[in-house]
Amino acid sequence: MIKKHDPTIILVMVSLAAIFAGCSPSSTVIDSRMVAEIDRSIPYPIDIPSYYTDAVDNGTRTETGAPGGNYWQQYAEYSLYARLHPNEKKLESMVSIVYHNNSPDTLDNLHLDLHQNHHDEGIERNLAAEVTGGMNLISVEVDGEILEESYMDESRYVVAGTRLILIPNNPLPPGGQTRITIEYDFTVPQAGAGGRMGYDSDNLFFIGYWYPHMTVYDDVVGWHPDQYLGLAEFYHDFADYTYTIEVPSDWVVMGTGDFLNPEEVLTEEVYERYLASQESDEVVNIITSNDFGLATKTGAGSTLTWQFHAEFVRDVAFSVTRESLWDGARTPVNDFEYTQINTFYRELAPLWEEVTAYQQHAITFLSGLTDFAYPWSHMTAVEGSNIIGGGMEFPMMTLMGDYNDRGAEALYGVTAHELAHMWVPMIVNTDERRYSWLDEGNTSFSTNDALMDYHPGVDHHESSRQSYIRLSGTDYEGEIMRWSNFHGTQAAFGVASYAKPASVLAALRGVLGEEVFYEAYQTFINEWAFKHAYPWDMFRTFETVSGQDLEWFWRSWYYETWVLDQAVVEVRDKGSVTEIVVEDQGQLPMPVNLTITLEGGDTVKHAIPVDVWLRGYRITTLSIEEQNVVRVEIDAERNFPDVDTSNNVWESE
């Protein structure tokens, strides 16, 4: 970090300032005076790890931010069968995985995530969790060979925390494939995986993180080594899934993917309503309270199997409900196509009567915002009060709280937020354990845009700014780029993952302008759709599309905890010109956008480029031809999260 310069450098910079001032347009002159000794930080080049630059050298990534010609990613096909025992709170299951090695590397061992082991005794955690015993492995096979748990045998498996490591006899060569078969069971925790799955009362289950899941092996890191600790979330490969869920017949199941056998499990009347909802712009009540216990074909005391299939998704999850209302409708994702909207909620959550409409708006709006149409057959929201207070996303599925105490606007906000996750990380795949901000920050930003469309007249980005500002500049704040599992507090994690990166994207929009910003934003979404994106891919995409070197921006906002504090110090009437003195009282350099009100009410705009601060100045004077200035305001549009806006306005007496 550069904090001070020697006198020689100061003289050179002062000389450069004179040159820049001489080249300014006649209507605007910037005169910057250096303090005797520089006491501000000047952004230096960002830190890019060698494993990322190696990927660029290998041609899997590019310096422009786009995927490289040699890009590859792993792929798997899952076949799952599960039986849920609601009374015992137990899931019994078997998974068969065909794993394809598309990498150029020979894999001597295979890694899988066992997320339910978060609930095992003695597991490392950064969130408290109910201890249920984790995942019980009954049998493990690789290509028909039975593996035993051992630390000594040549072929074996090892359980290490939330990681299962398979060491088969035969390595997996490039272009090869292998079949892994595992039989297992586990006790369902009440609010599992940090409140991301579980059960409530005797009428609702939401099952996620329920099967051994191939760990990501990618072109940047290889096998991802990070354990699931509870706070930061997940990183998965794309895969195809066929799965069958067996439950008692008076329960209703919905899950990720195409619902393959609705006519076999739903009564004829409910099935007809389900079909009608797929053609209706208005809400159809598919299951009402009169249908509880009567919505399925088979009588009490028996079971039904529900079948689903999904292609190229990161994960699958499913809900099992017995006394949930089921509303449905359709919503457009482009000019020609629709997707099905499903909403499951209990009568204890009356605000949920509007969630179908919320989902309709959010899916349609976000398809347009990203310029990438929602690609799947349905989007389903499930009310899970007492499992979760906020919301949790899975492909095509979300679990959310009742929001009785927080109100309708907050319920729309969490709905839009969880549905925005369908684009990041469900389409643009990101590593949430290290870079939670890459999905949560993008999603919080797009949620605020959706809120402004659904509830206009309010700057919904302001709530993110204020959440960030409350922690900014304190010892509790952590850098956005700090690995997510290593923030000191949950508050620091939350600000660095949600509020600050959302505010920073809004600030970047203010720097680039809306047209350029959204072109870059949409380019990133479309170029990295169904691929694994890293932070530097996003950074480089914005630089490529904008044609600007933004390294100062990435360093200042993402790698540091500097604060922005710009101030109008003085306005001087010099007869033929007006001088506006602006001071940068924080450490974070940003352009200064001035709205100047003249006597009579007319306004004009002037800007001081960020370059002034990047050359080390603290104070600069802007000379403009306009006279009779009565008011000067910094960032009247409120694009930037300035920590002290009380000094942003000057008014004549």
Side-chain angles (χ1 to χ4, degrees), residues 88-392:
E88 293 81 15
K89 310 295 188 291
K90 186 174 183 179
L91 187 83
E92 299 175 332
S93 186
M94 176 177 287
V95 60
S96 177
I97 308 169
V98 178
Y99 184 69
H100 299 263
N101 183 13
N102 295 328
S103 80
D105 308 319
T106 296
L107 305 180
D108 294 323
N109 46 61
L110 304 168
H111 293 217
L112 294 89
D113 289 313
L114 305 180
H115 296 120
Q116 283 302 318
N117 277 3
H118 179 64
H119 297 276
D120 201 0
E121 187 76 42
I123 292 295
E124 182 184 4
R125 290 184 279 262
N126 55 20
L127 282 183
E130 176 187 359
V131 175
T132 60
M135 188 172 285
N136 173 42
L137 301 180
I138 299 170
S139 67
V140 178
E141 295 183 13
V142 177
D143 291 331
E145 176 191 7
I146 298 176
L147 303 186
E148 301 291 342
E149 184 171 14
S150 171
Y151 291 90
M152 300 296 293
D153 297 336
E154 289 187 5
S155 61
R156 63 193 187 278
Y157 74 83
V158 176
V159 176
T162 58
R163 181 62 52 83
L164 170 64
I165 304 170
L166 309 180
I167 302 97
N169 275 322
N170 300 314
L172 182 60
Q177 65 181 51
T178 188
R179 181 181 292 274
I180 302 165
T181 304
I182 302 175
E183 184 180 357
Y184 62 98
D185 60 36
F186 65 88
T187 298
V188 179
Q190 192 278 313
R196 298 174 174 110
M197 54 86 64
Y199 65 89
D200 181 40
S201 303
D202 61 353
N203 57 16
L204 168 69
F205 286 81
F206 192 96
I207 306 299
Y209 312 114
W210 56 283
Y211 56 93
H213 201 146
M214 295 302 304
T215 302
V216 170
Y217 186 90
D218 69 17
D219 63 304
V220 177
V221 174
W223 288 119
H224 273 248
D226 304 334
Q227 295 275 333
Y228 173 59
L229 302 180
L231 183 59
E233 296 178 25
F234 306 96
Y235 185 30
H236 300 315
D237 268 318
F238 293 103
D240 293 348
Y241 293 83
T242 299
Y243 64 105
T244 299
I245 309 300
E246 182 180 347
V247 297
S249 62
D250 54 341
W251 294 75
V252 174
V253 180
M254 182 53 67
T256 298
D258 299 333
F259 185 9
L260 298 182
N261 65 333
E263 71 283 358
E264 296 178 7
V265 294
L266 300 175
T267 62
E268 183 175 350
E269 183 177 3
V270 172
Y271 177 58
E272 290 300 323
R273 296 177 201 157
Y274 170 70
L275 293 180
S277 71
Q278 297 175 357
E279 303 297 326
S280 175
D281 298 324
E282 304 299 321
V283 173
V284 174
N285 304 127
I286 301 171
I287 290 180
T288 70
S289 58
N290 294 328
D291 300 308
F292 292 165
L294 305 171
T296 56
K297 282 189 173 180
T298 305
S302 58
T303 63
L304 286 173
T305 57
W306 302 66
Q307 299 172 5
F308 300 89
H309 177 74
E311 295 184 355
F312 226 66
V313 294
R314 286 185 13 142
D315 197 3
V316 292
F318 62 94
S319 61
V320 185
T321 59
R322 187 163 60 179
E323 295 174 342
S324 290
L325 306 168
W326 179 4
D327 292 346
R330 68 176 187 176
T331 198
V333 298
N334 55 31
D335 291 339
F336 312 103
E337 298 173 291
Y338 292 82
T339 194
Q340 166 82 0
I341 298 296
N342 297 309
T343 305
F344 290 84
Y345 61 103
R346 292 169 295 178
E347 293 177 306
L348 61 82
L351 294 177
W352 272 68
E353 291 181 3
E354 298 300 319
V355 169
T356 299
Y358 295 165
Q359 291 194 79
Q360 287 176 298
H361 174 267
I363 287 293
T364 301
F365 176 82
L366 293 164
S367 293
L369 183 74
T370 60
D371 193 35
F372 195 99
Y374 182 81
W376 296 304
S377 59
H378 72 93
M379 183 64 228
T380 296
V382 180
E383 172 267 315
S385 178
N386 297 318
I387 299 175
I388 194 169
M392 182 60 202

Side-chain angles (χ1 to χ4, degrees), residues 414-485:
V414 72
T415 302
H417 182 93
E418 302 312 323
L419 270 55
H421 275 305
M422 297 306 111
W423 282 266
V424 188
M426 301 307 169
I427 293 172
V428 177
N429 201 351
T430 63
D431 180 358
E432 301 174 85
R433 289 188 191 165
R434 296 188 179 186
Y435 313 112
S436 291
W437 64 268
L438 191 50
D439 77 295
E440 296 295 357
N442 272 282
T443 296
S444 297
F445 170 82
S446 57
T447 298
N448 291 335
D449 270 9
L451 275 162
M452 294 182 74
D453 190 73
Y454 199 77
H455 293 287
V458 177
D459 181 4
H460 292 279
H461 289 281
E462 186 63 21
S463 62
S464 292
R465 293 189 196 100
Q466 291 305 317
S467 294
Y468 154 58
I469 287 171
R470 279 193 290 271
L471 199 67
S472 66
T474 72
D475 292 337
Y476 299 103
E477 184 186 359
E479 306 87 347
I480 291 178
M481 283 295 288
R482 180 181 299 190
W483 285 7
S484 301
N485 268 324

